[in-house]
Every structure is written in structure tokens, then in C-alpha cells.
Amino acid sequence: MNMVFYLGSSAMKPACRILFATRCPAPFRFISAKWNHAGSMGALSSFRFDFGRCLFHTNPCRAVNIGRAVDEVQNTFCLPGSGFGRSWNLLGSRGLHGDISHRGVIAVADAVRSLSTSVETRVNDKNFERIYVQGGMNVKPLVVERIDKDENIVGVEDSSIEVVDDNINLEKSKAGLNESNDVSAKREESQVEKEAWKLLQDAVVMYCGSPVGTVAANDLGDKQPLNYDQVFIRDFVPSALAFLLKGEGEIVRNFLLHTLQLQSWEKTVDCYSPGQGLMPASFKVRTVPLDENKVEEVLDPDFGESAIGRVAPVDSGLWWIIMLRAYGKITGDYALQERVDVQTGIKLIMNLCLTDGFDMFPSLLVTDGSCMIDRRMGIHGHPLEIQALFYNALRCSREMLSVNDGSKNLVRAINNRLSALSFHIREYYWVDMKKINEIYRYKTEEYSTDATNKFNIYPEQIPLWLMDWIPENGGYLIGNLQPAHMDFRFFTLGNLWSIVSSLSTPKQNEAILNLIESKWDDLMGHMPLKICYPALKREDWRIITGSDPKNTPWSYHNGGSWPTLLWQFTLACIKMGRPELAEKAVALAEKRLSEDRWPEYYDTRTGRFIGKQSRLFQTWTIAGFLASKMLLENPETASNLFWEEDYELLEICVCALSKSGRKKCSRGAARSQILV
Ligand code: GLC
């Protein structure tokens, strides 16, 4: 049987809805119910599922197992019966809240999210039942629930969920922000900065009357915006930072809460449902016409099912966690991260990342194009960018998760992974003169647990360019590591976030900045900052990119220059006490960005030309520039985002925890050399 049912909608504002789904219908159809405050469904004491209304533009079919979730929600709300496709009576919501309003719907949604709080057990529990909650284009309206009682009590009846009006109750965060966090207020802004602020404001996206994000690009002359008119999770990060440093927390808070509602509700590629907890790559606010000249606004997420190449947005959830922590640190509004639904969101992401698979490494195994580089570029496997963001998100989660019986297993798993991951990256991804010389003399085909050349790297793989390029006093983390394969390309974002999160050692951090400084012409050129170095050429380009005409050598992801990387470079430089390097790079960018109309990326070996297919008025270029300026002016604010070395973590050795005595731990010997 193919059934999808629709649980609810909002009351006062344009109706926004929550969907639950079961099997793949053919043709798929939705059972929808509408309700509004005035009671267009009569007294609202009940609502019916109404077959035949298709709400999705993408293929919504999926195999989901929500039976348990629904049963539990039904029980919680005294809903009758467990059969789908029948009328449900939501009188239960009256019982809970004393009146009939959209609270009931929100409570149901939260009930489902609360049920999901059992995820932490899944780290060790292979029998964990997955609960899929699907929202698709239809999510809750802009309502913010405030949980007044003890937030650790998960039961719905105990958590009095209060719907605050569209004028979000942000007193707390606003107070914190307005008093002290407008770090830009100290001096007169330059013309370029003023222009940038204006453009950033113009890029703001509204949903039900409140700001929820920024579009990726706001180029009015662009006839083919593709998906650049959407709010990308990763692209919003510098916008969020710029707003936070400016003292504007509301948009960030709204963004965090709305994307949380989109989490893992709907993403399908040809009827396949990936794991719960995935965050979308982007979302769009759509206006859907209703009867009687009314419209409703819906949030329409893209989990990769519409993206070019159908790439999985692995980095989105990691960025979301990083942003959540930054929001708390900068605004002082820690109540947000303590909320039950937000805690559950963190757990879902962590749980998805920590799920066991076939992989042997502590690094995260992903498909090609699962991060900022969202096209085929030979970065499938264990790309550095994902590992650095993963490490950072693990550290943020460990700090933000409230430890209790329900979360202690997850926290333990996070600690173990942090320790193993940092060891793995520091030991096996690091290259400098000395290490390359070692690899150059590697023996191969070593069979044993104490092999030196563990991944069976053939020395012939060392590229010729690298032998000349590697400086005496610098080093970096390679782009990827697989059996018999080291990707020696320098990937900027991964190296910068390794510094920021202390994934690499303090010495390695120094050495990465040394390398950037000594290879300034290659990595900064006329416009900071190369996304990777060097470009893939000729046969490599043909085979690795699949002859991608957008990723020709020194263009776009293949060695193009991306000004948005500037704020991340600034962060790393401030952390390492070398702000002058960042100042030099920002000055370089400032000379051209406004004149060039804030391009997305630049082409050529040294970044002289505006990218061939570059969008103009690209928001993260604008926001990245502003964030860099503000960070440089108030370097102390950078500490809200970076991490120092955690010496306790270095003491944990996962092997010691292994019950089977089969593993031989090689960390003891390596530890002294690589950990500091
Ligand atoms: C491109 C970039 C990606 C970015 C998106 C929106 O696809 O590769 O990182 O998020 O554009 O700007």
C-alpha cells in the first residue's frame, strides 16, 4: 500500500505544513489536511486526510519506517488507531494545551523529534529503529517554541511548548548582542564596506515576515540563476558571522531553527532514503497560491536530489553545528543550544556521522563533491575538507551536548572519534620535506600490522611539481588518503580548518601558514585564495573531472581563486598570531572586489580574471570580506570560532578500549613525534 499522510499546518500565517510519509505511492499522492485559526475545518476538533493533493515537485517516494514514531506520537496524543489513511482526531492537542491551536502541530513535531532523542544509543545499538520524518516543501511556519520547563524532560506532556508570535522573543539574545557585540561600530566604515553591507542586506531572504538566510548570489542581470537564488547552508556561514559580529543575531537564530526543521525530513534520489540527520544543501522559500487569492509560503529544501550531479551535502550538518556554537558564544544566548529539539538535532547529525559502515578509518567516508567542491573533482573517499569540518563539529558537539544518561554513549563515541581522527590526520595526512623524503624511499607491499608504509603508497606517486614546490620551512595536510593513494594537492579550506580546530598540531599549524606565506604568489596571486593547488591538467583533468568544462585548469573548483576563503584564512592567521598575513590578503581583495562586482571566483593561475562562469554579487564573497574586516579589527572575537589544542584528548587511545586484543596499537610510538 502506498500511503503518505499529512499531519498539520499553521494557523495564523500562510499555512505551512509538516508531512509524514510512508511508502512510495504510484502515482504518489498526499493526504493533506488544512487547518487554520479561524477554523476552516470547522471547530478544528478533528481533521481529515484528504487524498490527492501533490505537494512535491520532486519525487517524494521513499521507503520509510515511521511506524513506531507514529504509534508513539499517537499514543502520546491519544490518537486513535494505528492505521494510516484514516481520519485522525487531534482532540488530544486540546487535552494537552487547553485549546485548539497550531501548538498541537508543533507539539506533534516535537514529539517526533523527541522520540528521536534515542539516537545516541544507536552508536552502539545496531538494532536502532530509524524514524523518518519528512517535510519536503512543507515545514512549520515561523514559530519559535519556548520550552519553559525542565528541558531534559522529553515527554511531550511535561514540556510546555509555547508558541511565540512571529515577533520572535529574542530579548535575551538581542540584549547580549546590542550591548557589546557590534564590533563594527568602532570606526567609520569605508565606502567598499558600506556597499558590502548594503548588498548583504539586499541578499536577505524573508520567510513569514522574518529573515531566515541570504541567497547565494543576487545578480539581477543573471538570466539563469540556477540554484543561486537559494539559501545555501555553507554559504550562509560567513553571512551569519558578519551579522553576529554586527550585533544582529535574529537572522542567525531563525536560520538555525528553520534548517533544523528541514533536517532529514525529505531527501530522495530515486526512492532511496539516506540516513536520518542529513541537513539540506540549500533551501528556497516558495510562494504557493491558495484559494481565495491567498498564498502560503513554504520552505523547500534540496538535499542533493535537485543539485547538479546529485551530490550529497555532507558538510551542511557540520556547518550547522559550527554555526550553532558560534551563535551561542557570540550572543551569549546559550538557551538555544540547550533546547530539546536543538539537542536532538545535534545528536542526529553526530549519530549519522558516527554510524558504523565498512570503513576502517576514523575519517569520514564520503562521495565526490560532498562539500564546497560540489562537483566531481576526485575528492571522494576521505577528503581533508570534510575531516576538518567533522573534527570541528565533533568538538562543538562535545561542548554543547548536555551529558545525561541518554547522551553519555554518544559523548563517549565523540571523544573516541576525536582522538582517533586527530591521530590519523596528524600522522598520515601530513607532508613536509622530511616526510616526502620518507615516502620517496618507501618500501612497498608490506604485510603486517607494523608496516611503515601502511597504505602501500608507491613512491612514484609523488608528483614532480611537489618536489620543487614544498618549502624547507613549511608543510601541509594532503587532500585525501586511500589505499595506495595520496592526493597531494593542497586544499585550502581543509588546511585552514585544521588550524582553526586544532586538528593539526601547533607545529603543523605554524608550518601550514609558513607554506602559504612562502607560496604566496601561487596561493594568493592577484586574488585570494586558491581553492586548491595545483590544477588538474590534460589527462588528469579528463579522467578525474570527467572532462568537466566548468572545471578546466585554473578555473572554478580546479585551481580557481575564491575570495570567500578569505575570512577562514583570517581566522587561522589570528589564531596563530599572524594577523599581518591576513591583512595583506584582505587588502589585495579590497582593491578589486567592489570594482569587479563581488565575483564568486576568479580564473587563471594567479587569479587575474573574473571566473568564466562566475556569478556576480555572490553573497559569501561579500560576507566573507566583511567578516574578515571585522575579525581583523577585533581579533579577540575570533576566539569564538577557533579551538586550542586539547591535551586530554591526546591521552585517549581508542585501541585501549578495544575488547579484542587483536589490534596492535601503533600510536604509542608515533605519539611523541606527532602530537605536539
Ligand atoms: C557552487 C559552489 C558551492 C556553493 C554554491 C552556492 O556550487 O561550489 O560550494 O555552495 O555554488 O554558492
Side-chain angles (χ1 to χ4, degrees), residues 215-217 227-236 281-282 308 311 315 371-375 385 531 550 556-557 562 564 600-601 615 618-620:
V215 285
N227 52 356
Y228 283 85
D229 58 354
Q230 305 209 2
V231 180
F232 277 75
I233 309 304
R234 72 175 75 85
D235 291 43
F236 183 67
S282 60
I308 296 166
V311 282
D315 63 340
C371 51
M372 177 185 179
I373 296 180
D374 54 0
R375 291 167 86 88
E385 172 169 339
I531 194 166
K550 197 164 178 185
Y556 201 46
H557 299 139
W562 291 67
T564 191
E600 178 188 17
Y601 68 96
R615 257 63 199 180
Q618 180 82 17
T619 306
W620 68 358

Side-chain angles (χ1 to χ4, degrees), residues 1-268:
M1 226 195 346
N2 298 318
M3 284 167 299
V4 176
F5 66 88
Y6 176 179
L7 202 58
S9 75
S10 152
M12 350 256 283
K13 281 283 164 182
C16 305
R17 292 154 297 174
I18 301 167
L19 290 173
F20 295 138
T22 62
R23 303 259 163 71
C24 173
F28 60 85
R29 293 200 293 191
F30 288 83
I31 310 159
S32 69
K34 284 185 169 293
W35 105 39
N36 62 33
H37 208 60
S40 68
M41 300 259 320
L44 293 178
S45 57
S46 68
F47 66 86
R48 283 184 168 276
F49 297 120
D50 165 23
F51 283 88
R53 186 162 167 210
C54 177
L55 301 166
F56 282 81
H57 65 300
T58 54
N59 182 353
C61 52
R62 64 198 62 78
V64 292
N65 174 14
I66 64 165
R68 193 185 110 195
V70 170
D71 280 348
E72 290 190 38
V73 172
Q74 282 175 312
N75 292 340
T76 311
F77 285 86
C78 317
L79 298 175
S82 59
F84 299 147
R86 68 169 72 172
S87 291
W88 275 18
N89 187 321
L90 265 189
L91 266 176
S93 66
R94 185 190 291 277
L96 274 181
H97 298 288
D99 64 349
I100 295 292
S101 72
H102 49 293
R103 287 181 195 177
V105 180
I106 292 156
V108 172
D110 269 348
V112 175
R113 294 194 69 83
S114 298
L115 293 171
S116 306
T117 55
S118 59
V119 291
E120 63 271 15
T121 58
R122 190 174 155 210
V123 172
N124 291 324
D125 176 8
K126 304 284 186 295
N127 297 323
F128 176 77
E129 255 186 87
R130 288 174 177 221
I131 303 166
Y132 289 97
V133 185
Q134 170 225 330
M137 283 176 67
N138 304 278
V139 295
K140 288 185 276 183
L142 187 52
V143 285
V144 173
E145 307 93 355
R146 210 179 57 223
I147 297 170
D148 290 325
K149 291 188 183 167
D150 183 352
E151 297 199 350
N152 289 325
I153 301 170
V154 168
V156 174
E157 282 178 71
D158 286 328
S159 51
S160 122
I161 298 169
E162 207 177 285
V163 177
V164 181
D165 200 1
D166 283 356
N167 292 323
I168 296 173
N169 184 354
L170 276 172
E171 268 75 54
K172 190 173 171 189
S173 65
K174 276 192 173 155
L177 283 168
N178 293 339
E179 278 161 21
S180 59
N181 290 75
D182 183 359
V183 297
S184 64
K186 289 184 188 161
R187 66 170 168 91
E188 174 77 16
E189 283 166 350
S190 68
Q191 278 312 315
V192 178
E193 283 167 90
K194 281 188 184 140
E195 181 195 337
W197 274 117
K198 162 89 178 48
L199 292 170
L200 186 60
Q201 292 296 349
D202 291 348
V204 168
V205 172
M206 304 296 283
Y207 173 61
C208 293
S210 299
V212 290
T214 47
V215 285
N218 204 13
D219 182 358
L220 300 178
D222 189 354
K223 300 276 176 297
Q224 259 201 318
L226 297 175
N227 52 356
Y228 283 85
D229 58 354
Q230 305 209 2
V231 180
F232 277 75
I233 309 304
R234 72 175 75 85
D235 291 43
F236 183 67
V237 180
S239 296
L241 183 58
F243 284 125
L244 288 173
L245 294 178
K246 181 89 172 157
E248 293 170 20
E250 181 192 356
I251 185 171
V252 183
R253 182 185 166 96
N254 292 344
F255 172 90
L256 289 165
L257 288 173
H258 282 297
T259 45
L260 178 67
Q261 293 185 322
L262 297 174
Q263 184 184 31
S264 92
W265 287 20
E266 155 69 8
K267 65 311 52 321
T268 34

Side-chain angles (χ1 to χ4, degrees), residues 395-612:
R395 290 195 75 169
C396 295
S397 304
R398 191 176 59 152
E399 184 184 280
M400 291 189 293
L401 278 173
S402 10
V403 185
N404 50 40
D405 280 352
S407 66
K408 63 176 194 295
N409 286 344
L410 182 63
V411 172
R412 192 180 308 124
I414 289 174
N415 272 322
N416 289 345
R417 194 61 168 261
L418 275 166
S419 159
L421 182 61
S422 72
F423 172 82
H424 186 80
I425 300 289
R426 291 169 176 203
E427 172 77 344
Y428 304 125
Y429 278 59
W430 181 251
V431 291
D432 53 13
M433 267 294 276
K434 184 164 163 273
K435 184 67 186 281
I436 293 171
N437 206 163
E438 248 171 57
I439 300 171
Y440 184 71
R441 291 165 51 78
Y442 264 169
K443 288 192 190 58
T444 58
E445 318 300 330
E446 290 177 285
Y447 176 84
S448 76
T449 47
D450 40 35
T452 313
N453 180 5
K454 292 193 171 53
F455 302 95
N456 202 31
I457 306 298
Y458 300 109
E460 289 73 14
Q461 274 177 38
I462 302 174
L464 288 178
W465 65 264
L466 182 60
M467 298 197 187
D468 300 329
W469 197 69
I470 192 82
E472 290 288 340
N473 68 339
Y476 67 98
L477 297 166
I478 57 167
N480 211 331
L481 176 71
Q482 316 255 52
H485 174 66
M486 283 176 110
D487 182 344
F488 286 99
R489 282 176 291 172
F490 174 86
F491 285 87
T492 303
L493 198 149
N495 273 283
L496 294 179
W497 279 90
S498 298
I499 298 176
V500 170
S501 60
S502 281
L503 172 58
S504 30
T505 71
K507 269 193 202 154
Q508 289 173 342
N509 294 341
E510 280 291 341
I512 294 169
L513 286 189
N514 289 345
L515 176 128
I516 295 178
E517 190 177 23
S518 72
K519 296 292 157 188
W520 192 265
D521 291 346
D522 289 333
L523 298 174
M524 300 290 177
H526 292 92
M527 174 56 68
L529 197 49
K530 280 268 167 267
I531 194 166
C532 65
Y533 182 91
L536 297 167
K537 291 175 220 135
R538 296 178 283 274
E539 274 302 275
D540 283 345
W541 166 77
R542 202 177 63 74
I543 295 166
I544 296 173
T545 73
S547 305
D548 185 347
K550 197 164 178 185
N551 273 335
T552 49
W554 306 114
S555 183
Y556 201 46
H557 299 139
N558 188 13
S561 302
W562 291 67
T564 191
L565 292 167
L566 207 50
W567 73 271
Q568 314 176 63
F569 178 59
T570 304
L571 203 52
C573 290
I574 293 175
K575 175 182 165 180
M576 299 309 295
R578 295 169 78 174
E580 70 291 346
L581 276 184
E583 273 158 13
K584 199 169 137 194
V586 172
L588 203 57
E590 196 163 3
K591 275 201 278 182
R592 289 185 59 186
L593 285 181
S594 162
E595 205 176 308
D596 291 347
R597 289 169 296 160
W598 309 93
E600 178 188 17
Y601 68 96
Y602 286 76
D603 281 356
T604 79
R605 205 174 207 289
T606 56
R608 289 193 75 186
F609 292 168
I610 298 171
K612 207 189 293 173

